[in-house]
Amino acid sequence: MVLIQQLDRSPSTRPASTIVPVADSHEHRITMRTPDRPPRLVTRSLDSAGPAPDRRGRQYRGTDSYDDVEPHLAALAAMDPDHPGREVLRKNIIAQCVPLADHIARRYSGRGEWDDDLMQVARIGVIHAVDRFDPTRGSSFVAFAVPTVMGEVRRHFRDKTWAVRVPRRTKEIQLMIGDTVERLAQRNGRMPKSREIAAELTLPVEEVVQALVAANGYQTTPMSTLPGTDSEENTATALAERVGVEEPRYEQVEQFLAVQPLVQQLPERERRVLGMRFFEYRTQTQIAQELGISQMQVSRILSRTLDRLREQVYAEVGDTAPAA
């Protein structure tokens, strides 16, 4: 025979602190402690006629259900926010509901997120469910907690798991596209086109195309850890080794930074000749006409200036300039 120890709900007593032991498979009990007397219990035995209904007429369905948490939640709601036993009761309720969070988190495993992260998010959802549940509304705790936890996990996937920042509207459309594509593929016997998806969702084609393209930004591919197959050694090959190339302009930037302070020390006419030749891309004849000198003089100025800059650059790095 199973004994259920229930709260004494007499109006003359108001619980001052609550101790909730962990429920086992044989007993469900709640102990209420009042300030002026020891714990007061009301015990009722169950016969073979079936489980007893709770105060809303629903019946406890055994240890597979979380109905036994609801009297705890009712006691929690009846306490004042600054009650010394409220936090202890709240922690016990949350601990008892942790398996529910883990069960929901496992439903979303295998989608690119660590299981530990999903369990943490789901447990945060359980905390929100415990804090927001209102026993006076008549719904069961599980009916309220499951959507709350699932919503928390889905928000995590929507807001925290994208590798590239995508507008929220685009994310929402991208989530709707999956079910729509599957439904249209079964109906038409082929993969649907973007305009068919847009017509099914009653959305502009541009938004659907944008959502399809944005799906590529959900998860990035590391260039250093992508496995590949080497034809000779059959070993992993990094993506950077297959598609990466050296950027030639990096060396040009280094050369520019090395020469810039030396160019600023040149006389005015030599700086002007270098500017017209290498930045304005003028010919020596055009430079000569601009300065009123011969083309041969322009050639000598350029040759003398470049040789001086070359010697100064190699002198700074402790090397010898190669012969022209």
Side-chain angles (χ1 to χ4, degrees):
M1 179 178 297
V2 180
L3 296 181
I4 297 182
Q5 297 176 339
Q6 298 178 327
L7 294 176
D8 181 4
R9 289 295 184 178
S10 59
S12 60
T13 58
R14 185 76 174 180
S17 63
T18 306
I19 302 175
V20 183
V22 178
D24 54 33
S25 59
H26 300 290
E27 294 181 340
H28 298 277
R29 62 168 68 94
I30 302 173
T31 305
M32 304 302 298
R33 187 181 301 274
T34 56
D36 56 346
R37 52 184 170 177
R40 183 167 181 169
L41 306 176
V42 177
T43 303
R44 181 163 54 86
S45 63
L46 300 178
D47 54 18
S48 59
D54 64 3
R55 60 188 179 85
R56 289 189 298 274
R58 294 181 294 103
Q59 292 185 341
Y60 296 106
R61 295 185 294 273
T63 57
D64 291 337
S65 172
Y66 287 85
D67 283 346
D68 56 335
V69 179
E70 296 180 16
H72 301 53
L73 292 166
L76 182 68
M79 290 182 178
D80 295 331
D82 55 350
H83 193 285
R86 190 178 191 281
E87 188 63 26
V88 176
L89 177 58
R90 177 176 176 271
K91 290 181 179 179
N92 279 279
I93 295 173
I94 293 172
Q96 193 171 353
C97 296
V98 163
L100 175 64
D102 296 345
H103 173 74
I104 295 176
R106 284 192 292 269
R107 295 177 57 183
Y108 291 88
S109 63
R111 302 189 183 186
E113 282 293 290
W114 295 100
D115 291 344
D116 291 343
D117 293 342
L118 294 178
M119 288 184 179
Q120 290 182 9
V121 174
R123 293 178 183 185
I124 292 175
V126 163
I127 295 175
H128 292 331
V130 171
D131 291 339
R132 299 170 184 171
F133 180 70
D134 186 358
T136 62
R137 291 184 175 271
S139 62
S140 66
F141 173 72
V142 174
F144 176 80
V146 170
T148 303
V149 177
M150 293 179 65
E152 194 71 27
V153 176
R154 289 171 179 171
R155 277 191 295 273
H156 173 76
F157 276 101
R158 185 192 67 192
D159 300 334
K160 305 296 183 180
T161 60
W162 284 73
V164 179
R165 186 176 181 85
V166 177
R168 179 174 179 178
R169 172 64 176 170
T170 304
K171 294 178 183 179
E172 293 174 349
I173 296 176
Q174 198 273 332
L175 291 175
M176 293 187 294
I177 287 177
D179 295 336
T180 305
V181 168
E182 183 178 354
R183 184 169 58 254
L184 291 176
Q186 293 178 355
R187 182 192 307 169
N188 302 329
R190 58 176 175 80
M191 294 301 294
K193 299 179 180 180
S194 57
R195 64 173 179 270
E196 296 174 340
I197 299 174
E200 184 73 13
L201 296 175
T202 62
L203 293 172
V205 179
E206 294 78 10
E207 292 187 4
V208 173
V209 173
Q210 186 178 10
L212 291 171
V213 175
N216 298 323
Y218 181 76
Q219 189 174 17
T220 58
T221 302
M223 297 186 66
S224 59
T225 58
L226 181 68
T229 302
D230 192 297
S231 57
E232 297 181 357
E233 301 180 358
N234 194 26
T235 57
T237 304
L239 180 62
E241 297 178 2
R242 295 190 289 175
V243 301
V245 294
E246 294 184 3
E247 174 56 58
R249 296 183 180 272
Y250 288 157
E251 185 177 358
Q252 295 180 7
V253 172
E254 294 176 356
Q255 294 173 354
F256 174 80
L257 294 176
V259 173
Q260 183 181 20
L262 302 177
V263 173
Q264 294 175 351
Q265 299 174 5
L266 293 174
E268 175 66 24
R269 189 174 73 166
E270 295 182 1
R271 288 204 310 270
R272 189 176 179 187
V273 171
L274 288 178
M276 289 187 290
R277 182 69 183 91
F278 295 103
F279 292 94
E280 300 178 9
Y281 303 105
R282 298 189 186 184
T283 64
Q284 294 184 7
T285 303
Q286 293 173 338
I287 297 174
Q289 294 175 355
E290 178 74 18
L291 298 179
I293 59 178
S294 65
Q295 183 267 336
M296 182 61 67
Q297 288 177 304
V298 173
S299 176
R300 291 174 181 174
I301 292 174
L302 288 172
S303 178
R304 182 175 61 251
T305 303
L306 293 176
D307 288 342
R308 183 189 308 172
L309 292 175
R310 187 181 300 108
E311 292 175 358
Q312 291 176 344
V313 169
Y314 279 97
E316 289 184 356
V317 298
D319 200 353
T320 303

